[in-house]
Amino acid sequence: MIEFDGRKIPNELSEIVDPKRTVLLVWDMQNDQAGGAFNKDALIRNAPPLIAAAARTGVKTIYTRQTPFSWKDESPAWIRRQMKTEKVDHPSKLKPRRLHGSFGWNIMEPFKPGTDDMVIDKRRSSMFIGNEFETILGNRGGTTTVMIGCTTDGGVESTVRDGFLRGYFMVVVRDCVGTYTEEGHKAALKRIERFGDVVDSQELIQIWRH
């Protein structure tokens, strides 16, 4: 710890991820996101041991499921942006969004939540918009969020930026996040380093064993 103006500033990773002040956020490990990641096999290999280590040490684990609005309930800005992405000239031509309860919406089997875990359905690609996550952090005295999941260049990056701007410590586990392309993954991790710590799963597992 660094002493500064009467306060203690966590500095070492072991201090930042103290289980008493940390939550593990398992971001959108859904069949149509994690299932489509370029590094899906690595996620299946690396993430479950980290999730298990968090449970053993008392770190609260929170899962998210991206549950978008239907297009008829979405904002005009988002509709227009998706029309440009899909190269269509009318909202009626947009592909349907994933439905609550569908195969693609469900969390992949290797990452199924435990009985003590929380699951939050959210609409946006930042955990700090439109849900009760910050209330949960406050209830638990949380100052640190460790993130795993998909996608690195989508919701993971957005949440890290938003969390840091709100004064939280943000930690991303390099070998437990993924996206659709390796190029997008690596570029996002480089940007994330400006706002949070990027670490390997084994480093965290070792810390949480002590």
Side-chain angles (χ1 to χ4, degrees), residues 15-56:
E15 298 166 345
I16 292 169
V17 299
D18 182 337
K20 296 189 297 294
R21 296 190 294 270
T22 299
V23 300
L24 175 64
L25 186 57
V26 184
W27 185 264
D28 293 0
M29 284 290 208
Q30 293 160 280
N31 284 310
D32 64 355
Q33 294 197 181
F38 84 95
N39 57 342
K40 178 179 72 172
D41 291 342
L43 296 176
I44 292 172
R45 182 173 60 250
N46 298 324
L50 180 66
I51 294 169
R56 285 193 301 270

mmCIF file of all heavy atoms in Angstrom, residues 15-56:
data_model
loop_
_atom_site.group_PDB
_atom_site.id
_atom_site.type_symbol
_atom_site.label_atom_id
_atom_site.label_comp_id
_atom_site.label_asym_id
_atom_site.label_seq_id
_atom_site.Cartn_x
_atom_site.Cartn_y
_atom_site.Cartn_z
ATOM 1 N N GLU A 15 -2.965 -6.535 -3.655
ATOM 2 C CA GLU A 15 -3.752 -5.574 -2.884
ATOM 3 C C GLU A 15 -4.998 -5.146 -3.649
ATOM 4 O O GLU A 15 -6.074 -4.984 -3.069
ATOM 5 C CB GLU A 15 -2.887 -4.352 -2.552
ATOM 6 C CG GLU A 15 -1.669 -4.677 -1.699
ATOM 7 C CD GLU A 15 -0.644 -3.554 -1.662
ATOM 8 O OE1 GLU A 15 -0.723 -2.623 -2.508
ATOM 9 O OE2 GLU A 15 0.249 -3.608 -0.799
ATOM 10 N N ILE A 16 -4.846 -4.976 -4.956
ATOM 11 C CA ILE A 16 -5.959 -4.514 -5.781
ATOM 12 C C ILE A 16 -7.073 -5.551 -5.839
ATOM 13 O O ILE A 16 -8.259 -5.206 -5.814
ATOM 14 C CB ILE A 16 -5.449 -4.168 -7.199
ATOM 15 C CG1 ILE A 16 -4.528 -2.932 -7.142
ATOM 16 C CG2 ILE A 16 -6.608 -3.922 -8.168
ATOM 17 C CD1 ILE A 16 -3.763 -2.675 -8.419
ATOM 18 N N VAL A 17 -6.710 -6.851 -5.896
ATOM 19 C CA VAL A 17 -7.720 -7.915 -6.037
ATOM 20 C C VAL A 17 -8.006 -8.591 -4.696
ATOM 21 O O VAL A 17 -8.414 -9.757 -4.668
ATOM 22 C CB VAL A 17 -7.293 -8.954 -7.094
ATOM 23 C CG1 VAL A 17 -7.146 -8.301 -8.457
ATOM 24 C CG2 VAL A 17 -6.010 -9.675 -6.694
ATOM 25 N N ASP A 18 -7.826 -7.880 -3.623
ATOM 26 C CA ASP A 18 -8.201 -8.397 -2.305
ATOM 27 C C ASP A 18 -9.646 -8.899 -2.359
ATOM 28 O O ASP A 18 -10.557 -8.151 -2.744
ATOM 29 C CB ASP A 18 -8.073 -7.262 -1.284
ATOM 30 C CG ASP A 18 -8.382 -7.698 0.139
ATOM 31 O OD1 ASP A 18 -9.095 -8.709 0.334
ATOM 32 O OD2 ASP A 18 -7.924 -7.020 1.074
ATOM 33 N N PRO A 19 -9.888 -10.176 -2.010
ATOM 34 C CA PRO A 19 -11.243 -10.727 -2.116
ATOM 35 C C PRO A 19 -12.317 -9.925 -1.389
ATOM 36 O O PRO A 19 -13.487 -9.946 -1.796
ATOM 37 C CB PRO A 19 -11.096 -12.128 -1.512
ATOM 38 C CG PRO A 19 -9.663 -12.488 -1.756
ATOM 39 C CD PRO A 19 -8.907 -11.193 -1.600
ATOM 40 N N LYS A 20 -11.946 -9.224 -0.338
ATOM 41 C CA LYS A 20 -12.936 -8.444 0.420
ATOM 42 C C LYS A 20 -13.462 -7.264 -0.386
ATOM 43 O O LYS A 20 -14.523 -6.725 -0.070
ATOM 44 C CB LYS A 20 -12.318 -7.953 1.739
ATOM 45 C CG LYS A 20 -11.933 -9.055 2.701
ATOM 46 C CD LYS A 20 -11.529 -8.504 4.047
ATOM 47 C CE LYS A 20 -10.282 -7.621 3.976
ATOM 48 N NZ LYS A 20 -9.066 -8.394 3.586
ATOM 49 N N ARG A 21 -12.738 -6.839 -1.420
ATOM 50 C CA ARG A 21 -13.118 -5.646 -2.179
ATOM 51 C C ARG A 21 -13.288 -5.915 -3.677
ATOM 52 O O ARG A 21 -13.358 -4.975 -4.464
ATOM 53 C CB ARG A 21 -12.059 -4.554 -1.981
ATOM 54 C CG ARG A 21 -11.927 -4.049 -0.564
ATOM 55 C CD ARG A 21 -11.040 -2.820 -0.499
ATOM 56 N NE ARG A 21 -9.668 -3.136 -0.855
ATOM 57 C CZ ARG A 21 -8.741 -3.519 0.009
ATOM 58 N NH1 ARG A 21 -9.048 -3.643 1.288
ATOM 59 N NH2 ARG A 21 -7.515 -3.784 -0.385
ATOM 60 N N THR A 22 -13.360 -7.196 -4.062
ATOM 61 C CA THR A 22 -13.317 -7.552 -5.480
ATOM 62 C C THR A 22 -14.537 -8.358 -5.883
ATOM 63 O O THR A 22 -15.023 -9.198 -5.131
ATOM 64 C CB THR A 22 -12.040 -8.375 -5.772
ATOM 65 O OG1 THR A 22 -10.895 -7.570 -5.457
ATOM 66 C CG2 THR A 22 -11.964 -8.784 -7.234
ATOM 67 N N VAL A 23 -15.039 -8.105 -7.089
ATOM 68 C CA VAL A 23 -16.027 -8.982 -7.722
ATOM 69 C C VAL A 23 -15.446 -9.477 -9.036
ATOM 70 O O VAL A 23 -14.633 -8.795 -9.675
ATOM 71 C CB VAL A 23 -17.378 -8.279 -7.977
ATOM 72 C CG1 VAL A 23 -17.983 -7.790 -6.674
ATOM 73 C CG2 VAL A 23 -17.237 -7.155 -8.977
ATOM 74 N N LEU A 24 -15.839 -10.695 -9.422
ATOM 75 C CA LEU A 24 -15.471 -11.255 -10.719
ATOM 76 C C LEU A 24 -16.668 -11.106 -11.642
ATOM 77 O O LEU A 24 -17.758 -11.616 -11.354
ATOM 78 C CB LEU A 24 -15.094 -12.730 -10.570
ATOM 79 C CG LEU A 24 -14.807 -13.474 -11.888
ATOM 80 C CD1 LEU A 24 -13.589 -12.892 -12.587
ATOM 81 C CD2 LEU A 24 -14.618 -14.968 -11.633
ATOM 82 N N LEU A 25 -16.473 -10.406 -12.751
ATOM 83 C CA LEU A 25 -17.534 -10.163 -13.714
ATOM 84 C C LEU A 25 -17.316 -11.056 -14.929
ATOM 85 O O LEU A 25 -16.340 -10.889 -15.671
ATOM 86 C CB LEU A 25 -17.543 -8.689 -14.119
ATOM 87 C CG LEU A 25 -18.679 -8.207 -15.020
ATOM 88 C CD1 LEU A 25 -20.044 -8.484 -14.386
ATOM 89 C CD2 LEU A 25 -18.519 -6.715 -15.317
ATOM 90 N N VAL A 26 -18.212 -12.028 -15.114
ATOM 91 C CA VAL A 26 -18.138 -12.960 -16.246
ATOM 92 C C VAL A 26 -19.050 -12.409 -17.333
ATOM 93 O O VAL A 26 -20.266 -12.512 -17.263
ATOM 94 C CB VAL A 26 -18.558 -14.381 -15.828
ATOM 95 C CG1 VAL A 26 -18.376 -15.348 -16.998
ATOM 96 C CG2 VAL A 26 -17.739 -14.851 -14.622
ATOM 97 N N TRP A 27 -18.436 -11.801 -18.328
ATOM 98 C CA TRP A 27 -19.149 -10.956 -19.274
ATOM 99 C C TRP A 27 -19.600 -11.729 -20.518
ATOM 100 O O TRP A 27 -18.776 -12.175 -21.322
ATOM 101 C CB TRP A 27 -18.230 -9.806 -19.691
ATOM 102 C CG TRP A 27 -18.873 -8.803 -20.571
ATOM 103 C CD1 TRP A 27 -18.825 -8.742 -21.942
ATOM 104 C CD2 TRP A 27 -19.675 -7.691 -20.163
ATOM 105 N NE1 TRP A 27 -19.539 -7.674 -22.401
ATOM 106 C CE2 TRP A 27 -20.072 -7.008 -21.318
ATOM 107 C CE3 TRP A 27 -20.091 -7.212 -18.923
ATOM 108 C CZ2 TRP A 27 -20.875 -5.880 -21.292
ATOM 109 C CZ3 TRP A 27 -20.880 -6.086 -18.887
ATOM 110 C CH2 TRP A 27 -21.259 -5.431 -20.052
ATOM 111 N N ASP A 28 -20.904 -11.890 -20.669
ATOM 112 C CA ASP A 28 -21.516 -12.375 -21.912
ATOM 113 C C ASP A 28 -20.863 -13.654 -22.459
ATOM 114 O O ASP A 28 -20.593 -13.777 -23.661
ATOM 115 C CB ASP A 28 -21.475 -11.292 -22.990
ATOM 116 C CG ASP A 28 -22.355 -10.101 -22.644
ATOM 117 O OD1 ASP A 28 -22.989 -10.119 -21.574
ATOM 118 O OD2 ASP A 28 -22.401 -9.156 -23.450
ATOM 119 N N MET A 29 -20.642 -14.622 -21.571
ATOM 120 C CA MET A 29 -20.122 -15.917 -22.019
ATOM 121 C C MET A 29 -21.271 -16.731 -22.621
ATOM 122 O O MET A 29 -21.572 -17.848 -22.205
ATOM 123 C CB MET A 29 -19.475 -16.663 -20.853
ATOM 124 C CG MET A 29 -18.116 -16.156 -20.461
ATOM 125 S SD MET A 29 -16.852 -16.521 -21.706
ATOM 126 C CE MET A 29 -15.393 -16.616 -20.635
ATOM 127 N N GLN A 30 -21.911 -16.141 -23.614
ATOM 128 C CA GLN A 30 -23.096 -16.727 -24.239
ATOM 129 C C GLN A 30 -22.709 -17.524 -25.490
ATOM 130 O O GLN A 30 -21.650 -17.318 -26.072
ATOM 131 C CB GLN A 30 -24.095 -15.613 -24.585
ATOM 132 C CG GLN A 30 -24.695 -14.943 -23.356
ATOM 133 C CD GLN A 30 -25.275 -13.571 -23.661
ATOM 134 O OE1 GLN A 30 -24.543 -12.594 -23.754
ATOM 135 N NE2 GLN A 30 -26.591 -13.506 -23.829
ATOM 136 N N ASN A 31 -23.608 -18.411 -25.889
ATOM 137 C CA ASN A 31 -23.303 -19.301 -27.002
ATOM 138 C C ASN A 31 -22.967 -18.557 -28.283
ATOM 139 O O ASN A 31 -22.102 -18.992 -29.052
ATOM 140 C CB ASN A 31 -24.479 -20.249 -27.251
ATOM 141 C CG ASN A 31 -24.541 -21.351 -26.230
ATOM 142 O OD1 ASN A 31 -23.562 -22.037 -25.954
ATOM 143 N ND2 ASN A 31 -25.712 -21.535 -25.634
ATOM 144 N N ASP A 32 -23.612 -17.417 -28.533
ATOM 145 C CA ASP A 32 -23.362 -16.744 -29.801
ATOM 146 C C ASP A 32 -22.258 -15.699 -29.712
ATOM 147 O O ASP A 32 -21.924 -15.086 -30.726
ATOM 148 C CB ASP A 32 -24.642 -16.149 -30.387
ATOM 149 C CG ASP A 32 -25.241 -15.051 -29.508
ATOM 150 O OD1 ASP A 32 -24.713 -14.826 -28.413
ATOM 151 O OD2 ASP A 32 -26.246 -14.442 -29.923
ATOM 152 N N GLN A 33 -21.681 -15.494 -28.534
ATOM 153 C CA GLN A 33 -20.532 -14.589 -28.425
ATOM 154 C C GLN A 33 -19.275 -15.385 -28.077
ATOM 155 O O GLN A 33 -18.344 -15.453 -28.868
ATOM 156 C CB GLN A 33 -20.811 -13.478 -27.407
ATOM 157 C CG GLN A 33 -21.920 -12.562 -27.880
ATOM 158 C CD GLN A 33 -21.965 -11.233 -27.149
ATOM 159 O OE1 GLN A 33 -22.829 -10.428 -27.425
ATOM 160 N NE2 GLN A 33 -21.083 -10.970 -26.223
ATOM 161 N N ALA A 34 -19.254 -15.998 -26.903
ATOM 162 C CA ALA A 34 -18.111 -16.851 -26.569
ATOM 163 C C ALA A 34 -17.994 -17.994 -27.569
ATOM 164 O O ALA A 34 -16.887 -18.402 -27.946
ATOM 165 C CB ALA A 34 -18.261 -17.383 -25.147
ATOM 166 N N GLY A 35 -19.153 -18.495 -28.025
ATOM 167 C CA GLY A 35 -19.136 -19.589 -28.993
ATOM 168 C C GLY A 35 -18.553 -19.212 -30.331
ATOM 169 O O GLY A 35 -18.095 -20.071 -31.090
ATOM 170 N N GLY A 36 -18.533 -17.902 -30.631
ATOM 171 C CA GLY A 36 -17.980 -17.438 -31.890
ATOM 172 C C GLY A 36 -16.601 -16.817 -31.769
ATOM 173 O O GLY A 36 -16.068 -16.291 -32.750
ATOM 174 N N ALA A 37 -15.993 -16.876 -30.584
ATOM 175 C CA ALA A 37 -14.684 -16.261 -30.364
ATOM 176 C C ALA A 37 -13.587 -17.042 -31.080
ATOM 177 O O ALA A 37 -13.622 -18.277 -31.144
ATOM 178 C CB ALA A 37 -14.379 -16.192 -28.867
ATOM 179 N N PHE A 38 -12.598 -16.317 -31.589
ATOM 180 C CA PHE A 38 -11.480 -16.974 -32.265
ATOM 181 C C PHE A 38 -10.720 -17.886 -31.304
ATOM 182 O O PHE A 38 -10.108 -18.873 -31.708
ATOM 183 C CB PHE A 38 -10.530 -15.928 -32.877
ATOM 184 C CG PHE A 38 -9.512 -15.376 -31.905
ATOM 185 C CD1 PHE A 38 -8.237 -15.916 -31.812
ATOM 186 C CD2 PHE A 38 -9.844 -14.326 -31.047
ATOM 187 C CE1 PHE A 38 -7.303 -15.418 -30.911
ATOM 188 C CE2 PHE A 38 -8.923 -13.818 -30.147
ATOM 189 C CZ PHE A 38 -7.638 -14.368 -30.073
ATOM 190 N N ASN A 39 -10.752 -17.547 -30.000
ATOM 191 C CA ASN A 39 -10.020 -18.298 -28.973
ATOM 192 C C ASN A 39 -10.969 -19.050 -28.046
ATOM 193 O O ASN A 39 -10.709 -19.168 -26.846
ATOM 194 C CB ASN A 39 -9.121 -17.353 -28.184
ATOM 195 C CG ASN A 39 -9.880 -16.199 -27.537
ATOM 196 O OD1 ASN A 39 -11.011 -15.882 -27.914
ATOM 197 N ND2 ASN A 39 -9.259 -15.566 -26.558
ATOM 198 N N LYS A 40 -12.059 -19.571 -28.596
ATOM 199 C CA LYS A 40 -13.055 -20.270 -27.785
ATOM 200 C C LYS A 40 -12.429 -21.397 -26.965
ATOM 201 O O LYS A 40 -12.733 -21.564 -25.776
ATOM 202 C CB LYS A 40 -14.165 -20.834 -28.671
ATOM 203 C CG LYS A 40 -15.216 -21.626 -27.909
ATOM 204 C CD LYS A 40 -16.310 -22.158 -28.819
ATOM 205 C CE LYS A 40 -15.814 -23.286 -29.697
ATOM 206 N NZ LYS A 40 -16.921 -23.921 -30.445
ATOM 207 N N ASP A 41 -11.552 -22.173 -27.562
ATOM 208 C CA ASP A 41 -10.948 -23.301 -26.847
ATOM 209 C C ASP A 41 -10.131 -22.825 -25.649
ATOM 210 O O ASP A 41 -10.148 -23.453 -24.587
ATOM 211 C CB ASP A 41 -10.071 -24.122 -27.786
ATOM 212 C CG ASP A 41 -10.885 -24.869 -28.843
ATOM 213 O OD1 ASP A 41 -12.113 -25.020 -28.646
ATOM 214 O OD2 ASP A 41 -10.291 -25.284 -29.858
ATOM 215 N N ALA A 42 -9.422 -21.710 -25.818
ATOM 216 C CA ALA A 42 -8.641 -21.164 -24.705
ATOM 217 C C ALA A 42 -9.551 -20.671 -23.587
ATOM 218 O O ALA A 42 -9.241 -20.835 -22.406
ATOM 219 C CB ALA A 42 -7.743 -20.034 -25.201
ATOM 220 N N LEU A 43 -10.675 -20.064 -23.951
ATOM 221 C CA LEU A 43 -11.625 -19.615 -22.932
ATOM 222 C C LEU A 43 -12.152 -20.801 -22.129
ATOM 223 O O LEU A 43 -12.237 -20.745 -20.890
ATOM 224 C CB LEU A 43 -12.790 -18.873 -23.589
ATOM 225 C CG LEU A 43 -12.472 -17.563 -24.311
ATOM 226 C CD1 LEU A 43 -13.733 -17.029 -24.984
ATOM 227 C CD2 LEU A 43 -11.885 -16.536 -23.361
ATOM 228 N N ILE A 44 -12.507 -21.870 -22.821
ATOM 229 C CA ILE A 44 -13.033 -23.059 -22.147
ATOM 230 C C ILE A 44 -11.973 -23.680 -21.247
ATOM 231 O O ILE A 44 -12.283 -24.213 -20.173
ATOM 232 C CB ILE A 44 -13.539 -24.066 -23.196
ATOM 233 C CG1 ILE A 44 -14.778 -23.503 -23.900
ATOM 234 C CG2 ILE A 44 -13.843 -25.420 -22.572
ATOM 235 C CD1 ILE A 44 -15.249 -24.329 -25.082
ATOM 236 N N ARG A 45 -10.727 -23.585 -21.632
ATOM 237 C CA ARG A 45 -9.628 -24.154 -20.850
ATOM 238 C C ARG A 45 -9.255 -23.279 -19.651
ATOM 239 O O ARG A 45 -8.996 -23.793 -18.549
ATOM 240 C CB ARG A 45 -8.408 -24.343 -21.760
ATOM 241 C CG ARG A 45 -7.218 -24.976 -21.074
ATOM 242 C CD ARG A 45 -6.120 -25.268 -22.090
ATOM 243 N NE ARG A 45 -5.631 -24.067 -22.770
ATOM 244 C CZ ARG A 45 -5.855 -23.795 -24.051
ATOM 245 N NH1 ARG A 45 -6.597 -24.590 -24.797
ATOM 246 N NH2 ARG A 45 -5.355 -22.689 -24.597
ATOM 247 N N ASN A 46 -9.239 -21.960 -19.833
ATOM 248 C CA ASN A 46 -8.669 -21.071 -18.819
ATOM 249 C C ASN A 46 -9.676 -20.463 -17.848
ATOM 250 O O ASN A 46 -9.338 -20.214 -16.687
ATOM 251 C CB ASN A 46 -7.907 -19.929 -19.504
ATOM 252 C CG ASN A 46 -6.745 -20.427 -20.326
ATOM 253 O OD1 ASN A 46 -6.071 -21.399 -19.939
ATOM 254 N ND2 ASN A 46 -6.491 -19.796 -21.463
ATOM 255 N N ALA A 47 -10.889 -20.176 -18.317
ATOM 256 C CA ALA A 47 -11.831 -19.452 -17.468
ATOM 257 C C ALA A 47 -12.399 -20.276 -16.305
ATOM 258 O O ALA A 47 -12.477 -19.760 -15.178
ATOM 259 C CB ALA A 47 -12.952 -18.875 -18.316
ATOM 260 N N PRO A 48 -12.812 -21.533 -16.503
ATOM 261 C CA PRO A 48 -13.393 -22.276 -15.372
ATOM 262 C C PRO A 48 -12.480 -22.396 -14.150
ATOM 263 O O PRO A 48 -12.963 -22.233 -13.018
ATOM 264 C CB PRO A 48 -13.729 -23.635 -15.986
ATOM 265 C CG PRO A 48 -14.025 -23.320 -17.422
ATOM 266 C CD PRO A 48 -13.015 -22.266 -17.774
ATOM 267 N N PRO A 49 -11.165 -22.646 -14.302
ATOM 268 C CA PRO A 49 -10.320 -22.673 -13.100
ATOM 269 C C PRO A 49 -10.270 -21.340 -12.356
ATOM 270 O O PRO A 49 -10.205 -21.314 -11.126
ATOM 271 C CB PRO A 49 -8.938 -23.055 -13.645
ATOM 272 C CG PRO A 49 -9.212 -23.772 -14.920
ATOM 273 C CD PRO A 49 -10.413 -23.092 -15.505
ATOM 274 N N LEU A 50 -10.322 -20.237 -13.102
ATOM 275 C CA LEU A 50 -10.323 -18.924 -12.452
ATOM 276 C C LEU A 50 -11.638 -18.691 -11.722
ATOM 277 O O LEU A 50 -11.652 -18.184 -10.593
ATOM 278 C CB LEU A 50 -10.090 -17.828 -13.487
ATOM 279 C CG LEU A 50 -10.068 -16.397 -12.923
ATOM 280 C CD1 LEU A 50 -8.871 -16.209 -11.995
ATOM 281 C CD2 LEU A 50 -10.038 -15.374 -14.047
ATOM 282 N N ILE A 51 -12.741 -19.059 -12.349
ATOM 283 C CA ILE A 51 -14.049 -18.927 -11.701
ATOM 284 C C ILE A 51 -14.089 -19.749 -10.419
ATOM 285 O O ILE A 51 -14.589 -19.296 -9.380
ATOM 286 C CB ILE A 51 -15.165 -19.346 -12.673
ATOM 287 C CG1 ILE A 51 -15.246 -18.361 -13.849
ATOM 288 C CG2 ILE A 51 -16.508 -19.430 -11.962
ATOM 289 C CD1 ILE A 51 -16.134 -18.830 -14.985
ATOM 290 N N ALA A 52 -13.537 -20.956 -10.478
ATOM 291 C CA ALA A 52 -13.493 -21.819 -9.290
ATOM 292 C C ALA A 52 -12.617 -21.217 -8.197
ATOM 293 O O ALA A 52 -12.966 -21.275 -7.005
ATOM 294 C CB ALA A 52 -12.992 -23.209 -9.678
ATOM 295 N N ALA A 53 -11.497 -20.620 -8.579
ATOM 296 C CA ALA A 53 -10.610 -19.994 -7.587
ATOM 297 C C ALA A 53 -11.304 -18.822 -6.909
ATOM 298 O O ALA A 53 -11.156 -18.614 -5.691
ATOM 299 C CB ALA A 53 -9.319 -19.533 -8.268
ATOM 300 N N ALA A 54 -12.049 -18.043 -7.680
ATOM 301 C CA ALA A 54 -12.791 -16.922 -7.090
ATOM 302 C C ALA A 54 -13.801 -17.433 -6.065
ATOM 303 O O ALA A 54 -13.938 -16.869 -4.979
ATOM 304 C CB ALA A 54 -13.498 -16.134 -8.186
ATOM 305 N N ALA A 55 -14.504 -18.501 -6.400
ATOM 306 C CA ALA A 55 -15.504 -19.048 -5.475
ATOM 307 C C ALA A 55 -14.854 -19.538 -4.190
ATOM 308 O O ALA A 55 -15.381 -19.313 -3.092
ATOM 309 C CB ALA A 55 -16.267 -20.186 -6.159
ATOM 310 N N ARG A 56 -13.712 -20.194 -4.320
ATOM 311 C CA ARG A 56 -13.038 -20.734 -3.120
ATOM 312 C C ARG A 56 -12.573 -19.637 -2.180
ATOM 313 O O ARG A 56 -12.582 -19.808 -0.960
ATOM 314 C CB ARG A 56 -11.844 -21.592 -3.537
ATOM 315 C CG ARG A 56 -12.210 -22.954 -4.104
ATOM 316 C CD ARG A 56 -10.986 -23.845 -4.181
ATOM 317 N NE ARG A 56 -9.933 -23.281 -5.008
ATOM 318 C CZ ARG A 56 -9.809 -23.495 -6.319
ATOM 319 N NH1 ARG A 56 -10.709 -24.242 -6.950
ATOM 320 N NH2 ARG A 56 -8.815 -22.961 -6.989
#
